[in-house]
Amino acid sequence: MDSSLNTWDFSSPLISLWINRFYIYVGFAFGISLWICVQIVIKKQDKNSQEKSVPKTTQDLVTNGYISLQKKEVFVSGVKIFYGSQTGTAKGFATVLAEAVTSLDLPVTVINLKDYDPDDHLVEEVASKSVCAFLVATYTDGQPTESAEWFCKWLEEASHDFRFGKTYLKGMRYAVFGLGNSAYASNFNKVGKNVDKWLWMLGAHRVMTRGEGDCDVAKSKHGSIEADFRAWKTKFISRLQVLRKGEKKPCGGNCKKGKCKSNPHGPEGKEPESPTQDGLPHRDTEEEEAFESTSEEEFGTEDHQSLNSVVDVEDLGKIMDRVKKEKREKEQQEEEASLFRSTGKDEDSERRAMITPALREALTKQGYQLIGSHSGVKLCRWTKSMLRGRGGCYKHTFYGIESHCCMETTPSLACANKCVFCWRHHTNPVGTEWRWKMDQPEMILKEAIENHQNMIKQFKGVPGVKAERFEEGMTVKHCALSLVGEPIMYPEINTFLKLLHQCKISSFLVTNAQFPMEIRNLKPVTQLYVSVDASTKDSLKKIDRPLFKDFWQRFLDSLKALAAKQQRTVYRLTLVKAWNVDELQAYAELVALGRPDFIEVKGVTYCGESSASNLTMANVPWHEEVVRFVQELVALIPDYGIACEHEHSNCLLIAHKKFKIDREWWTWIDYNRFQELIQEYENSGGSKTFSTKDYMAKTPHWALFGANERGFDPKDTRYQRKNKSKDISGC
């Protein structure tokens, strides 16, 4: 009995558990499930807490000088700056940009596009995490510079080659700054626009709006190309700082200038692309200004669309109507803007000064005395030479100018050409019309004379300066309007000339044959020059690099206008060896067109190495070569003969035979007689005209071609101790 009770007592709990085992299983399952849920919640909380605390922890560790063990993601590994330059401006900007990037503690590499092979290396930028900056200049006819020519050619071909595809450069990040001159309206910053477009077509990612530098100070957004670059550089540096933090696109492309209500972070927050207001997809929708300067070009090539973007056929009509409407609105705005410029903006108070602070600094360093906002005066080396009794310039030999009494000035520093042999190295502005503030001619002449006299005064007491010539030099007798630029562009040029003549100052005006109407309207001058730097359309385009599209017709019309002048006229030919010395017959035809009184033929002067052109000493002809050219040219123009020679300047004078009287040349000028004639002309209101023969003077023997003196005045010390070796360093 006791034994059975003990057995029952031991086994009864087990039986009870067995009977209720289902409830036990359920309890265990519930407990395990609850434990798993708790663990999941705890892990999620720990993960969120860790993600929030990592940036602060990392920042604290860096601030306290400790090295964080947490690996930090790199969003920008460095910056590569590519430049294509002809005059050195883009190269200089690249250096400045590199210094700014270095200040951000980012690796930077400056690359000349001439030394870069895009076929091998450009695709490497896709995964390099670098930001590429392209500083490219536009050269003649909208072409790239020589250093960027191959890169641009390759990029253009690749962008239109189906084998590369529209995602070839996907992942590459870039920005473009173009250098150009809005005076060349149709080609303004064409290279910069093309490089930007071609990179975009290959799938590269534009990180900011393209910058456009403008050499034309009148139209530059910030007053000069340097200021344009500084503004773009500031935006680029700011953009780099944003990219370094890993900040992504703040919107899906529907906002303007990056302003939107949504602000997703990181790659997960990127919204799907959506059509722009034009009904066309906008592939790059990052935080930046609208792609203002190439949006129209891109819309013209919108076959480069996202694969996720689909446009219904029914919507195509609406899209085209919208595009046409916008085009009409744009044309209307341009017409209104043009009308506004021709009315309201013509006021001087709204126009910019031609001389910017940067230009003023550059010209002052070159020895210019700047006058007002667009004029200048400079002391010629021949003025200094004649003060010392060492001889005058070729104008002294050819026409009897007293070089120490000659003032070299200009009322317009701007020019319509960018000649390869410009001895000012293109520091002056360019333009096709007057768009700047205008100073009064009375003020220009007054300050020009004062500045000239002040520069003469600096030679008082200088060893070698002759006292009598110093005193004579304080009185200006001649004015060479050939310092730099295009004097005939100045709207008040006729008033300025009248003031010169009232002061008994003779006038020698030089024009580049691009303003035929102004030549026709020009009042009489002592002698009018036209630069004839080439005799064919192609060579003129190559040498003068004119801004006008119709430059050749303007050139021919200018020569025709010259033929109608009753005062002394001159062709100025500058010989550039291997460029324009083989066009004798064409030169002869131009002589027949303009019928000038004189033709000055001069070997080009090499002014030292300049990034503005590829002119070298090899392009400078020897004096014997100039003489041979002149002899061959005279053989083709029977009405002309060789009159004078100035060996030091590597220059000869061809004169019309009407100036050869009784077998003697009369190329010199009777300046007193000219002043009498010009005053009679003014007093008669222009009705009493005069001709070239009315104020000519006999040429001295020493100035004639073939004379032993070779153009040196025997009274000057230079002739007395003349070095017979060749010297072509003269003016």
Side-chain angles (χ1 to χ4, degrees):
M1 180 83 177
D2 294 336
S3 176
S4 62
L5 287 172
N6 292 336
T7 304
W8 172 256
D9 293 337
F10 176 77
S11 60
S12 59
L14 296 175
I15 295 171
S16 178
L17 290 172
W18 176 255
I19 295 172
N20 298 292
R21 64 184 182 277
F22 174 76
Y23 300 103
I24 294 173
Y25 295 159
V26 172
F28 271 115
F30 177 76
I32 293 171
S33 300
L34 182 61
W35 180 83
I36 292 173
C37 291
V38 171
Q39 293 300 317
I40 291 174
V41 171
I42 291 173
K43 287 184 177 181
K44 285 187 175 182
Q45 289 178 348
D46 290 342
K47 183 178 180 181
N48 292 336
S49 176
Q50 184 179 8
E51 288 178 353
K52 292 179 180 179
S53 63
V54 163
K56 187 176 186 305
T57 304
T58 304
Q59 184 178 1
D60 292 340
L61 287 172
V62 172
T63 304
N64 295 327
Y66 295 100
I67 299 175
S68 174
L69 296 178
Q70 178 72 28
K71 185 177 180 181
K72 189 175 181 180
E73 184 178 356
V74 177
F75 295 101
V76 178
S77 62
V79 176
K80 292 184 179 180
I81 303 173
F82 301 85
Y83 71 87
S85 180
Q86 188 72 24
T87 65
T89 305
K91 182 180 180 180
F93 287 170
T95 303
V96 173
L97 183 60
E99 293 174 355
V101 173
T102 303
S103 66
L104 301 179
D105 294 327
L106 276 174
V108 61
T109 305
V110 179
I111 302 172
N112 187 346
L113 287 173
K114 183 179 181 180
D115 305 322
Y116 186 77
D117 189 347
D119 202 16
D120 293 336
H121 302 294
L122 193 60
V123 72
E124 296 173 1
E125 309 305 331
V126 170
S128 67
K129 292 191 176 180
S130 295
V131 175
C132 300
F134 293 88
L135 311 182
V136 287
T138 300
Y139 199 44
T140 308
D141 292 336
Q143 297 299 313
T145 60
E146 293 178 5
S147 60
E149 188 174 3
W150 164 246
F151 176 83
C152 291
K153 182 179 180 181
W154 181 92
L155 198 62
E156 179 182 16
E157 292 176 352
S159 65
H160 295 91
D161 192 336
F162 71 94
R163 292 170 296 183
F164 285 89
K166 298 179 177 64
T167 59
Y168 179 71
L169 295 179
K170 185 176 182 181
M172 173 183 171
R173 294 176 293 180
Y174 75 95
V176 175
F177 180 81
L179 294 81
N181 193 317
S182 58
Y184 298 90
S186 60
N187 294 320
F188 176 55
N189 262 310
K190 187 175 181 179
V191 175
K193 294 175 182 177
N194 285 338
V195 168
D196 194 7
K197 179 176 68 174
W198 294 331
L199 289 170
W200 182 86
M201 291 174 66
L202 288 170
H205 180 72
R206 185 186 308 109
V207 300
M208 64 176 290
T209 307
R210 181 185 70 249
E212 293 187 346
D214 191 353
C215 289
D216 190 339
V217 297
K219 292 185 178 180
S220 169
K221 290 182 179 179
H222 303 91
S224 68
I225 191 170
E226 292 81 8
D228 293 337
F229 172 71
R230 286 194 295 269
W232 179 84
K233 182 191 70 174
T234 301
K235 293 181 181 180
F236 180 76
I237 296 300
S238 299
R239 186 68 182 130
L240 271 183
Q241 293 172 329
V242 172
L243 293 173
R244 288 187 70 186
K245 297 176 182 178
E247 295 186 23
K248 303 295 182 180
K249 306 174 186 178
C251 65
N254 291 328
C255 64
K256 185 177 182 180
K257 293 188 178 180
K259 298 177 181 179
C260 65
K261 297 179 180 179
S262 61
N263 188 26
H265 296 282
E268 293 87 7
K270 181 180 177 182
E271 293 182 4
E273 297 174 352
S274 56
T276 64
Q277 293 178 353
D278 295 319
L280 296 172
H282 190 83
R283 188 168 56 81
D284 290 337
T285 56
E286 63 197 52
E287 187 179 12
E288 64 177 9
E289 295 179 1
F291 186 37
E292 54 194 29
S293 50
T294 58
S295 57
E296 186 176 345
E297 297 165 9
E298 289 176 7
F299 292 159
T301 57
E302 278 300 329
D303 56 298
H304 182 54
Q305 296 182 358
S306 170
L307 295 175
N308 298 327
S309 180
V310 180
V311 180
D312 289 338
V313 175
E314 297 175 356
D315 296 331
L316 287 176
K318 297 179 181 179
I319 294 173
M320 294 306 298
D321 289 341
R322 189 178 295 113
V323 170
K324 291 179 180 179
K325 181 180 179 181
E326 290 181 355
K327 185 176 180 181
R328 287 194 299 270
E329 291 176 353
K330 183 178 180 181
E331 291 175 351
Q332 184 177 359
Q333 290 175 357
E334 290 177 350
E335 290 177 0
E336 293 174 354
S338 176
L339 179 62
F340 176 74
R341 284 194 298 268
S342 62
T343 54
K345 276 201 170 183
D346 283 341
E347 296 298 328
D348 285 344
S349 59
E350 297 182 7
R351 295 189 175 192
R352 292 181 180 177
M354 181 187 295
I355 305 176
T356 63
L359 182 60
R360 182 176 295 274
E361 180 181 0
L363 292 174
T364 301
K365 287 181 179 178
Q366 296 179 33
Y368 287 84
Q369 296 294 319
L370 300 178
I371 304 166
S373 63
H374 54 75
S375 307
V377 63
K378 188 178 182 181
L379 206 61
C380 175
R381 66 179 292 263
W382 288 108
T383 300
K384 304 173 188 177
S385 175
M386 206 162 190
L387 285 171
R388 291 185 170 95
R390 296 182 179 178
C393 69
Y394 68 88
K395 293 187 185 73
H396 171 62
T397 301
F398 296 171
Y399 316 116
I401 274 185
E402 298 173 271
S403 300
H404 62 300
C405 298
C406 181
M407 176 178 68
E408 192 174 26
T409 187
T410 181
S412 171
L413 290 163
C415 187
N417 290 345
K418 300 186 75 173
C419 304
V420 296
F421 51 76
C422 178
W423 59 306
R424 305 303 180 189
H425 296 320
H426 306 148
T427 48
N428 57 305
V430 293
T432 57
E433 60 182 353
W434 192 270
R435 301 185 306 273
W436 304 277
K437 291 180 180 179
M438 189 185 72
D439 300 326
Q440 294 304 308
E442 293 83 1
M443 182 273 289
I444 296 174
L445 180 59
K446 179 177 178 293
E447 293 195 16
I449 294 176
E450 289 177 355
N451 281 301
H452 176 80
Q453 291 173 337
N454 289 334
M455 289 185 286
I456 293 290
K457 288 177 182 178
Q458 296 175 8
F459 285 83
K460 187 174 184 179
V462 173
V465 173
K466 295 184 176 296
E468 66 277 10
R469 290 198 174 181
F470 177 82
E471 292 300 325
E472 292 171 355
M474 293 299 295
T475 301
V476 179
K477 295 182 179 179
H478 316 286
C479 181
L481 293 167
S482 60
L483 176 64
V484 68
E486 181 64 84
I488 207 169
M489 284 181 66
Y490 178 49
E492 293 294 329
I493 185 62
N494 281 323
T495 304
F496 185 79
L497 291 169
K498 182 178 180 180
L499 293 172
L500 281 175
H501 299 151
Q502 288 176 354
C503 296
K504 306 300 181 183
I505 300 174
S506 63
S507 52
F508 290 75
L509 188 146
V510 181
T511 176
N512 288 317
Q514 289 296 296
F515 297 92
M517 183 60 68
E518 285 75 5
I519 292 176
R520 295 188 189 99
N521 297 333
L522 191 69
K523 295 292 181 67
V525 295
T526 308
Q527 192 155 280
L528 178 60
Y529 288 78
V530 167
S531 294
V532 181
D533 301 323
S535 59
T536 65
K537 182 177 181 180
D538 291 339
S539 58
L540 186 70
K541 182 177 181 180
K542 179 181 178 182
I543 294 175
D544 279 4
R545 295 187 293 179
L547 273 65
F548 285 107
K549 288 183 178 179
D550 57 340
F551 67 92
W552 182 246
Q553 189 59 49
R554 285 177 167 272
F555 178 75
L556 297 178
D557 290 344
S558 295
L559 300 186
K560 294 176 183 177
L562 197 74
K565 291 295 177 181
Q566 295 182 339
Q567 289 72 47
R568 293 165 65 112
T569 58
V570 185
Y571 275 11
R572 174 184 281 182
L573 274 62
T574 301
L575 298 186
V576 185
K577 197 173 180 179
W579 284 33
N580 64 355
V581 296
D582 300 323
E583 304 170 352
L584 285 166
Q585 184 59 47
Y587 276 119
E589 294 173 0
L590 292 181
V591 170
L593 183 65
R595 301 192 302 276
D597 296 316
F598 305 98
I599 305 169
E600 293 178 2
V601 183
K602 184 178 182 297
V604 66
T605 300
Y606 181 64
C607 301
E609 183 178 354
S610 169
S611 55
S613 74
N614 54 1
L615 199 70
T616 67
M617 276 298 295
N619 298 115
V620 180
W622 294 89
H623 186 64
E624 293 77 8
E625 293 174 315
V626 176
V627 171
R628 184 164 58 251
F629 176 90
V630 169
Q631 291 172 336
E632 293 175 357
L633 178 60
V634 168
L636 298 174
I637 45 177
D639 292 335
Y640 293 81
I642 307 175
C644 303
E645 176 184 25
H646 193 263
E647 185 182 42
H648 188 87
S649 294
N650 200 18
C651 186
L652 281 84
L653 178 68
I654 300 173
H656 196 282
K657 290 182 179 179
K658 67 183 178 182
F659 291 95
K660 195 170 187 178
I661 302 174
D662 296 331
R663 297 184 180 181
E664 293 182 320
W665 286 108
W666 289 62
T667 65
W668 276 37
I669 298 172
D670 185 340
Y671 294 100
N672 292 329
R673 179 56 181 157
F674 171 79
Q675 296 298 341
E676 294 173 359
L677 293 170
I678 196 67
Q679 291 307 317
E680 292 176 3
Y681 170 85
E682 294 292 347
N683 294 337
S684 67
S687 61
K688 190 173 182 179
T689 61
F690 55 95
S691 66
T692 57
K693 287 188 176 183
D694 294 334
Y695 58 101
M696 65 181 182
K698 185 178 177 180
T699 309
H701 179 270
W702 59 264
L704 298 176
F705 174 68
N708 294 331
E709 293 84 355
R710 295 295 185 105
F712 290 97
D713 191 336
K715 295 181 295 183
D716 294 319
T717 59
R718 183 180 292 273
Y719 169 71
Q720 296 169 8
R721 53 187 176 83
K722 179 179 63 172
N723 183 353
K724 294 185 178 181
S725 62
K726 179 192 173 191
D727 182 356
I728 58 170
S729 61
C731 178

